[in-house]
Amino acid sequence: MIFEQVSCISNLPTVNRPSRIILLSVFTLFCLFCSPAAAKLLLDLDNPNLGKMPIMVADFHSGQPGSPNGADMASIVKNDLTFSGLFEIIPAPQPLPMNQNGEPDINALSKTGAQALIMGSFQVNGNQLTIEAKLYDIALQKLDLGKRYSGAITDYRYMIHMFDDRVMEKITNIAGCFTAKIAFIDDSRTREIFTMDYDGANLRQLTNTRTINLSPAWAPDGKGLIFTSYINRNPDLWYVTSDGQRVIPVSQRRGLNASGRFSPDGSMIALSLSVKSIPKLFIINTQGNIIKQLTNGLGNDISPTWSPDGANIAYVSDQAGTPQIYTVPVNGGEPKRVTLSSSYNTDPDWSPRGDQLAFTAKVDGRFQICVIKPDGSDFKVLTNKGSNQDPSWSPDGRMITFTSNLDGAKRISVMDAKGTVQAPVSGIPGRSPAWSPRLK
């Protein structure tokens, strides 16, 4: 079989990281053309009967011994694709059958049932690493995507995540978010904010306030987070830069300054402030000045979350006697109750597509992660084991991180948006996870 490959190296933006990377550049390795009539690897995410795509992931190979090794790289790919809930991993034969041109024998692999193949190679030069990763369409017998990444050896996980983001974009038309971070509160001793890769790697302590911290939430540009802290012995709202170097006060009014959430454009913050000892929703600017009071009912109003278009806010209120989720227009209007299926509903988080709210509900006496449409329809329970709380959507809307005690301790877990794949990821006890935006 002859493959037509047009080599067309393009200058894509260099990816900079504030920490260890000296160089991490991404450029197109292969540009491929196929007939418009030809079928291609594509998952229709709007198809309610969508099945998982069978995909084979082979160990990356190198002529050099040592660390990292190709099996570790392949494991990262498998983990990323599994957590998306969209793929079934097909075991790759060892060794992978190759043809005389050094390309995989697609004819042989077509008998495995896999629709696609991911494989790669890497080279080490001192403390630098170059990875070439490829996605093959087995049905069309062609190379569909090729990328080369260069950077420090210590950043090999980040490079693999970057490629997997591109794979998701190629197959679903929506880029992945495996390079995004999760922030959370340490639930063991410190109550400090930590960050980690979405799969638990690269754990890092962000704050050192030596007091109780609550409810971290990322800024839309990913350059920092807001959180509530008792630094001055009052629940005030603070901002910390993503490198942890600066901690800046945002709102220090007497009483509660809690559950701050940035608007989608980053220009405003919704939060709960005390009004005659009762928390109500307010909108402030990033300097802490009040723009408007959003709610004024009889209940306690907390935990705001913005719709992706910035037009509405969902929140929790006990004005009906028990905690329930409501929505209210940002520019004025009456609140509307969303949840009716449980007597206890909290922790709403609006999906990036705007079509669902993830939240915590008490189901059969235990807290579980649920989803519902903003109009109150299509209520679904995603978890059913242990106690699960504090959901936060990934920036692509394909995954949810949450707090779970499934293995005995409260840990940060991740699942796909349908709840079919669930696993703890944090190495330390944690709560209140917040998924970052896509980081540049």
Side-chain angles (χ1 to χ4, degrees):
M1 181 64 63
I2 298 175
F3 293 86
E4 181 180 358
Q5 302 175 5
V6 180
S7 178
C8 104
I9 298 176
S10 61
N11 297 319
L12 294 182
T14 300
V15 177
N16 297 316
R17 296 183 66 197
S19 55
R20 294 161 287 120
I21 276 193
I22 297 174
L23 171 67
L24 180 52
S25 60
V26 185
F27 59 88
T28 302
L29 184 61
F30 300 99
C31 295
L32 298 126
F33 300 91
C34 62
S35 167
K40 63 179 181 178
L41 291 174
L42 186 65
L43 287 173
D44 179 8
L45 301 184
D46 294 323
N47 181 356
N49 300 316
L50 179 66
K52 294 185 178 182
M53 175 183 288
I55 188 168
M56 180 178 293
V57 181
D59 290 352
F60 286 42
H61 62 89
S62 173
Q64 302 167 291
S67 180
N69 65 62
D72 290 341
M73 294 181 181
S75 293
I76 297 170
V77 177
K78 295 174 185 178
N79 195 54
D80 288 350
L81 299 184
T82 297
F83 267 127
S84 75
L86 299 175
F87 299 92
E88 176 190 357
I89 306 300
I90 303 297
Q94 297 289 345
L96 195 71
M98 307 293 287
N99 60 30
Q100 294 180 347
N101 297 325
E103 295 292 328
D105 188 338
I106 301 296
N107 281 328
L109 296 177
S110 63
K111 302 174 183 178
T112 66
Q115 294 181 23
L117 165 70
I118 290 177
M119 60 177 293
S121 61
F122 62 97
Q123 291 184 338
V124 176
N125 183 13
N127 64 354
Q128 294 293 295
L129 174 70
T130 298
I131 298 175
E132 290 188 4
K134 301 174 183 179
L135 169 70
Y136 288 88
D137 185 327
I138 291 180
L140 293 183
Q141 299 194 0
K142 75 181 187 73
L143 180 66
D144 219 25
L145 178 69
K147 295 287 182 180
R148 179 183 295 145
Y149 304 90
S150 297
I153 293 177
T154 51
D155 288 298
Y156 77 95
R157 298 183 63 89
Y158 188 77
M159 300 181 203
I160 298 296
H161 288 321
M162 288 185 70
F163 176 71
D164 294 342
D165 283 350
R166 302 303 183 196
V167 169
M168 295 299 291
E169 185 175 23
K170 190 73 177 180
I171 294 179
T172 69
N173 289 326
I174 301 173
C177 64
F178 303 118
T179 50
K181 298 281 188 180
I182 293 175
F184 65 97
I185 303 296
D186 169 32
D187 200 47
S188 58
R189 295 180 296 106
T190 68
R191 298 298 192 270
E192 300 289 356
I193 299 175
F194 282 71
T195 63
M196 64 181 180
D197 295 352
Y198 96 94
D199 57 5
N202 295 316
L203 181 69
R204 175 172 175 258
Q205 183 173 332
L206 185 64
T207 62
N208 189 28
T209 62
R210 300 181 183 180
T211 189
I212 296 174
N213 302 293
L214 304 167
S215 304
W218 290 85
D221 60 8
K223 294 181 179 180
L225 303 95
I226 49 176
F227 64 104
T228 297
S229 180
Y230 286 79
I231 293 174
N232 291 332
R233 300 185 180 182
N234 187 71
D236 299 325
L237 190 69
W238 296 77
Y239 175 89
V240 59
T241 54
S242 58
D243 59 5
Q245 296 300 307
R246 291 192 299 153
V247 179
I248 305 165
V250 177
S251 179
Q252 295 181 295
R253 292 171 175 84
R254 183 178 179 180
L256 195 67
N257 302 258
S259 305
R261 295 295 183 270
F262 278 101
S263 61
D265 65 2
S267 66
M268 297 180 289
I269 296 171
L271 79 165
S272 293
L273 297 176
S274 297
V275 177
K276 297 180 181 180
S277 301
I278 299 177
K280 296 297 175 185
L281 292 190
F282 285 76
I283 294 178
I284 63 175
N285 61 23
T286 55
Q287 288 74 45
N289 302 314
I290 291 177
I291 297 175
K292 67 170 64 176
Q293 183 173 341
L294 202 58
T295 61
N296 195 28
L298 298 176
N300 298 280
D301 302 333
I302 59 173
S303 304
T305 175
W306 297 76
S307 61
D309 61 5
N312 295 278
I313 286 178
Y315 65 101
V316 177
S317 179
D318 62 0
Q319 67 185 51
T322 60
Q324 300 293 335
I325 295 172
Y326 294 76
T327 60
V328 62
V330 172
N331 292 328
E334 290 299 314
K336 295 181 180 179
R337 182 169 167 175
V338 176
T339 52
L340 297 170
S341 300
S342 171
S343 63
Y344 197 100
N345 301 280
T346 60
D347 310 323
D349 191 47
W350 217 307
S351 70
R353 297 179 65 179
D355 59 338
Q356 289 183 310
L357 288 162
F359 63 101
T360 302
K362 185 170 283 188
V363 179
D364 297 329
R366 288 186 173 183
F367 292 120
Q368 303 297 347
I369 306 301
C370 305
V371 292
I372 196 170
K373 290 184 177 179
D375 64 2
S377 64
D378 205 16
F379 169 77
K380 296 176 182 176
V381 181
L382 301 185
T383 59
N384 56 26
K385 296 180 180 178
S387 181
N388 306 280
Q389 298 173 267
D390 310 323
S392 175
W393 290 93
S394 64
D396 62 359
R398 292 194 184 100
M399 294 182 283
I400 298 172
T401 181
F402 58 102
T403 305
S404 179
N405 69 350
L406 190 58
D407 63 353
K410 282 188 177 181
R411 297 188 185 277
I412 308 304
S413 293
V414 169
M415 65 179 169
D416 68 289
K418 294 182 179 179
T420 58
V421 180
Q422 303 177 16
V425 293
S426 64
I428 62 174
R431 59 179 174 171
S432 302
W435 216 306
S436 79
R438 290 186 173 92
L439 301 176
K440 298 180 180 179

